[in-house]
Amino acid sequence: RHLLLASLVLALVVLGSAPANADISLKEVPTVEVPALDIEALNLDDIERDRNGLAPRYAVPEPVTITPITHGRWTKMNSETAVWRLRTRCKNAISMNYGFSRWLVPVGGEMRIYNMDRTHRIRAFTIDDIQDTGVLWTPAVAGNDVIIEITCALEDRWMVEQEVELSSINPGYRGF
C-alpha cells in the first residue's frame, strides 16, 4: 500500500514538472504534408543553374495559404495562455524553413519552430522580429517533420488568427 502511494506521489511530481507544451502529443497536431522532392531532377536543374551563373538554392518553395483559423490546432494551456501548433512534413527533406506573408504577434507572444524529436530548434520569434513589411522568413530547421508553435495570452488569440499567414513551406534538399 505504501509503495502504491509513493508511486502515485512520484507520478504526480513528474507530471507536475512536465513542460507546459506537453499537454498533447505532437503526433496529434494537425499536419500539412508537402509533396516529396524529386532529388534527381533538382540535382540536374542545379547543374544547369550553376552553368547559367544563378545563385545556388537549398530548398524548394511550396506555396500555401495557412492561418491559425484554417489549419493547425489551438490548445488552452491554462486560464491565461493559448498555444497554436501546426506540423509540417516532407518525406525526403533534410530541412524546412518558412515564409510568412503576414506575421504579427502580440506583446508577450512568441513563435517557436522545432523538429519532431526536438533535436533542432531555432530561437523564439517575438514582437521584436516584426518587420515594417509584415513579412517573416525563418532560418532552416534540420529535419523533415517540423512543428510551428505560437504561444500568446488567451485574450490575444484573435490577433494571431488575423495577423499570421504562412505562405511558403520550403523543404530543403541540400546543405548550404
Side-chain angles (χ1 to χ4, degrees):
R1 187 184 258 192
H2 292 298
L3 182 59
L4 178 61
L5 183 58
S7 297
L8 189 57
V9 168
L10 180 61
L12 289 173
V13 168
V14 169
L15 288 174
S17 65
N21 61 2
D23 63 317
I24 64 167
S25 167
L26 293 179
K27 292 182 189 312
E28 296 174 23
V29 173
T31 303
V32 172
E33 183 105 24
V34 296
L37 300 167
D38 183 344
I39 303 296
E40 187 176 321
L42 289 168
N43 287 334
L44 291 173
D45 191 41
D46 284 342
I47 292 169
E48 189 63 31
R49 289 173 61 86
D50 289 344
R51 282 190 193 128
N52 293 326
L54 297 174
R57 65 181 171 187
Y58 70 94
V60 178
E62 180 69 34
V64 294
T65 302
I66 293 173
T67 72
I69 293 174
T70 63
H71 294 78
R73 175 182 294 152
W74 280 101
T75 304
K76 184 177 174 183
M77 302 306 292
N78 56 43
S79 62
E80 299 173 359
T81 309
V83 63
W84 173 77
R85 290 186 186 96
L86 175 71
R87 182 176 174 190
T88 64
R89 190 169 42 211
C90 178
K91 182 170 63 173
N92 61 343
I94 63 169
S95 67
M96 304 280 274
N97 85 296
Y98 304 91
F100 292 84
S101 54
R102 284 195 330 260
W103 192 83
L104 178 65
V105 294
V107 172
E110 67 178 24
M111 178 174 72
R112 295 189 177 275
I113 302 175
Y114 50 90
N115 61 12
M116 277 294 286
D117 58 9
R118 295 181 183 254
T119 57
H120 192 256
R121 66 188 75 213
I122 51 180
R123 69 171 178 81
F125 294 88
T126 67
I127 194 167
D128 294 333
D129 296 295
I130 295 172
Q131 305 290 314
D132 291 339
T133 61
V135 172
L136 177 72
W137 287 88
T138 72
V141 174
N144 63 358
D145 198 350
V146 176
I147 298 287
I148 300 171
E149 177 178 284
I150 299 176
T151 305
C152 65
L154 198 54
E155 64 194 25
D156 292 333
R157 176 179 158 172
W158 67 271
M159 181 180 182
V160 173
E161 290 176 340
Q162 297 303 312
E163 300 297 337
V164 172
E165 181 177 85
L166 177 62
S167 55
S168 189
I169 299 172
N170 311 303
Y173 64 97
R174 69 180 186 175
F176 299 98

